[in-house]
Amino acid sequence: MIFVSIRNDADDIGYGEAAAAMDALAAMQPGYRGVDSAREAGGMGITVSYWADDSAAIAWRHHPEHTAIREHGRARWYDSYSVIVARVERGYDWVRA
Amino acid sequence: MIFVSIRNDADDIGYGEAAAAMDALAAMQPGYRGVDSAREAGGMGITVSYWADDSAAIAWRHHPEHTAIREHGRARWYDSYSVIVARVERGYDWVRA
């Protein structure tokens, strides 16, 4: 699940704490397989969360605390965002020797 | 195609120009559907490029200039990276009213 978001710069109150709390909560959900996240100072952020299957991703989307924080994000933190659900087909890793 | 990378901090020479050149080159390829990218000051970056189909994504991966810059990135800019190829199943956008 790919989450692309543009932060506003008007109100930083609570954002960092909420983001960390959501990362910790996601990691406790069934089917969680990890997360990658990067946010630029300019407001652009991408979070990719990995799930065992579609039902695990949907369950996380509907989690009550996640739903509540999403509403808060719409009200305060974000100017816009996109959610893209995609099925992993293949991948590889490279690490400096 | 999701590209998650950790930059090193030893050598910034040419990285920004190369990244911009690759974005511009990608946008000229057949089947290109867009890109989202965010990189933190700390070195973590995520780039998501969107393609019409798998063959378009594979063609971009094998593009000679892209291949050359990837070799350069391995030699100089990156400590590690992951590539994840995923098929988009659904998505939605939200924009502040």
Side-chain angles (χ1 to χ4, degrees), chain A residues 2 4 8 36-40 44-48 50 54 58 61 70 73-96, chain B residues 2 4 8 36-40 44-48 50 54 58 61 70 73-96:
Chain A
I2 305 165
V4 179
N8 61 57
D36 290 313
S37 191
R39 180 167 294 284
E40 293 188 357
M44 177 74 170
I46 300 176
T47 297
V48 186
Y50 305 92
D54 204 35
I58 291 170
R61 175 165 155 67
R70 185 163 54 234
R74 286 175 174 170
R76 297 180 64 166
W77 295 318
Y78 297 120
D79 283 345
S80 64
Y81 63 74
S82 299
V83 176
I84 301 108
V85 178
R87 182 174 299 275
V88 173
E89 301 207 327
R90 58 189 184 275
Y92 59 90
D93 301 315
W94 174 84
V95 178
R96 182 175 297 282
Chain B
I2 305 165
V4 179
N8 60 56
D36 290 313
S37 190
R39 180 167 296 283
E40 294 187 358
M44 176 73 169
I46 300 176
T47 296
V48 186
Y50 305 92
D54 204 35
I58 291 169
R61 176 166 154 69
R70 185 163 52 235
R74 286 176 172 169
R76 298 182 64 169
W77 296 317
Y78 296 120
D79 283 346
S80 64
Y81 64 73
S82 298
V83 176
I84 300 108
V85 178
R87 182 174 300 274
V88 172
E89 301 206 328
R90 58 190 184 275
Y92 60 89
D93 301 316
W94 175 84
V95 178
R96 181 174 298 282

